[in-house]
Amino acid sequence: SQQGEEDPQALSIQEGENATMNCSYKTSINNLQWYRQNSGRGLVHLILIRSNEREKHSGRLRVTLDTSKKSSSLLITASRAADTASYFCATDAGYGGSQGNLIFGKGTKLSVKP
Amino acid sequence: GAGVSQSPRYKVAKRGQDVALRCDPISGHVSLFWYQQALGQGPEFLTYFQNEAQLDKSGLPSDRFFAERPEGSVSTLKIQRTQQEDSAVYLCASSSGLDQDEQFFGPGTRLTVL
């Protein structure tokens, strides 16, 4: 079963615009991660935010986490055609200890048009 | 340095055949994960190793699925008597620590069962 649900399922924007993707999850977590997957390729880690953090930046990426609403958002500023990919949020299993396995959402398919 | 590698990249099997998928994690990484990704979906957890110990196999869909990591490095996912519903991309990931942290993914093996 999948815990995270990304919204929207698909997003199409013009180069230079900002892209915002949202993720909701169901159970308590230790951290939340965002990954990118280009078509036919493996996943690339973008950013990790811990449950005691509210916002984190990495280059053109900004992630927020609201544990009270069990939601996170990923903002990509000044998008480029190369940002075209599927974006997934992933949470830890949340049942304590260091199980390690991630629970992924279904992803948001981002298309950035030049 | 080398990332996570998987072989073969593509595998076509006839229904009923056995297949073996290989994962070479990043050298020195303690944790190794297998995920299954159906078309248009996010990855779903299959099993988790810490060194050579298989600590969690709760995600394996049936007893036809078997994974091993005998020397704590290379891992093999074996699927016996393949069925059409086994068609998916099988992703391997490794991470350095024992705790929740970034996972590095391989490119995946796309399995098609005819």
Side-chain angles (χ1 to χ4, degrees):
Chain A
S1 63
Q2 296 186 305
Q3 151 141 273
E5 290 288 336
E6 286 90 346
D7 165 52
Q9 290 187 352
L11 180 61
S12 183
I13 60 174
Q14 293 294 131
E15 212 166 25
E17 293 180 339
N18 296 342
T20 300
M21 289 160 269
N22 303 296
C23 166
S24 59
Y25 56 92
K26 297 173 185 171
T27 63
S28 61
I29 60 171
N30 295 312
N31 63 59
L32 184 144
Q33 304 182 42
W34 284 89
Y35 285 81
R36 183 186 75 218
Q37 186 176 38
N38 290 81
S39 180
R41 310 285 286 275
L43 285 89
V44 174
H45 181 264
L46 296 176
I47 198 164
L48 180 153
I49 186 165
R50 301 200 183 277
S51 59
N52 61 353
E53 297 176 307
R54 291 297 166 257
E55 187 171 314
K56 204 161 183 181
H57 296 254
S58 177
R60 293 183 297 112
L61 305 180
R62 172 177 167 253
V63 169
T64 62
L65 179 64
D66 186 336
T67 52
S68 66
K69 295 181 179 177
K70 292 187 170 60
S71 67
S72 173
S73 68
L74 170 68
L75 169 67
I76 303 174
T77 60
S79 64
R80 306 166 182 168
D83 295 329
T84 295
S86 291
Y87 291 82
F88 295 91
C89 68
T91 58
D92 59 285
Y95 44 82
S98 298
Q99 297 296 331
N101 58 286
L102 296 174
I103 303 175
F104 287 85
K106 294 184 179 180
T108 291
K109 199 165 187 177
L110 174 65
S111 175
V112 181
K113 299 179 179 178
Chain B
V4 178
S5 61
Q6 293 185 244
S7 62
R9 290 292 314 279
Y10 303 91
K11 176 69 180 177
V12 178
K14 291 183 179 176
R15 194 161 60 106
Q17 279 186 332
D18 298 348
V19 297
L21 313 180
R22 177 187 168 106
C23 172
D24 284 81
I26 293 173
S27 178
H29 273 192
V30 169
S31 300
L32 185 145
F33 307 85
W34 283 98
Y35 294 86
Q36 179 190 59
Q37 186 175 23
L39 190 64
Q41 302 292 315
E44 293 208 7
F45 169 75
L46 293 177
T47 186
Y48 160 53
F49 290 86
Q50 195 177 98
N51 296 306
E52 69 278 5
Q54 188 174 21
L55 298 188
D56 188 346
K57 53 182 181 179
S58 62
L60 296 176
S62 77
D63 58 8
R64 297 185 294 104
F65 286 70
F66 171 75
E68 59 183 6
R69 195 187 184 196
E71 296 177 0
S73 55
V74 171
S75 177
T76 303
L77 176 67
K78 297 178 180 177
I79 309 173
Q80 297 176 324
R81 304 181 304 281
T82 52
Q83 304 293 314
Q84 283 190 323
E85 61 262 28
D86 300 335
S87 295
V89 175
Y90 290 85
L91 296 165
C92 174
S94 69
S95 68
S96 58
L98 303 178
D99 213 333
Q100 305 289 334
D101 61 10
E102 176 184 352
Q103 295 186 16
F104 294 83
F105 281 80
T109 294
R110 181 177 295 276
L111 173 65
T112 303
V113 182
L114 303 177

